[in-house]
Amino acid sequence: MTERRPGQWPVDEPVDLDALGAAEPSFDQLYMQRQKERALHEMVMDSIRHDLEQQPSPVCVLTAARDWCSRITAAAEEIARSKRSAA
């Protein structure tokens, strides 16, 4: 039998593990990426909160919140659909 399954020894094309180690981001890069993601999240949530605080009554606040939820869900479904078709 000459066929080998993935993970069997010997490997036809070995991976250069030293090159993989160099590609790992540093702690500072990971920290900055996390801070950027957190700042973006806070800006989005603050924008939604600001919109909800502008509503004149509790019923309007809940209606606006439901509208935000449906718009976010619709955007997520559209993005997921485009990622599925690209894959």
Side-chain angles (χ1 to χ4, degrees):
M1 227 154 93
T2 60
E3 281 190 45
R4 291 191 305 268
R5 295 185 307 213
Q8 270 188 303
W9 188 260
V11 178
D12 291 329
E13 298 174 20
V15 175
D16 184 11
L17 296 177
D18 292 328
L20 290 177
E24 290 183 19
S26 69
F27 176 78
D28 291 336
Q29 291 171 330
L30 291 174
Y31 176 79
M32 289 306 296
Q33 179 182 353
R34 172 68 180 124
Q35 291 305 319
K36 288 177 187 177
E37 291 170 0
R38 184 176 179 186
L40 178 62
H41 180 268
E42 291 298 318
M43 287 189 319
V44 170
M45 291 305 298
D46 286 346
S47 295
I48 293 171
R49 178 179 290 277
H50 176 75
D51 181 62
L52 295 175
E53 288 173 349
Q54 299 302 310
Q55 303 304 316
S57 69
V59 173
C60 291
V61 170
L62 294 175
T63 303
R66 287 186 192 101
D67 182 50
W68 275 109
C69 290
S70 65
R71 289 166 51 195
I72 291 168
T73 303
E77 288 171 353
E78 179 184 329
I79 293 167
R81 191 171 24 257
S82 69
K83 287 185 179 275
R84 277 190 214 108
S85 65

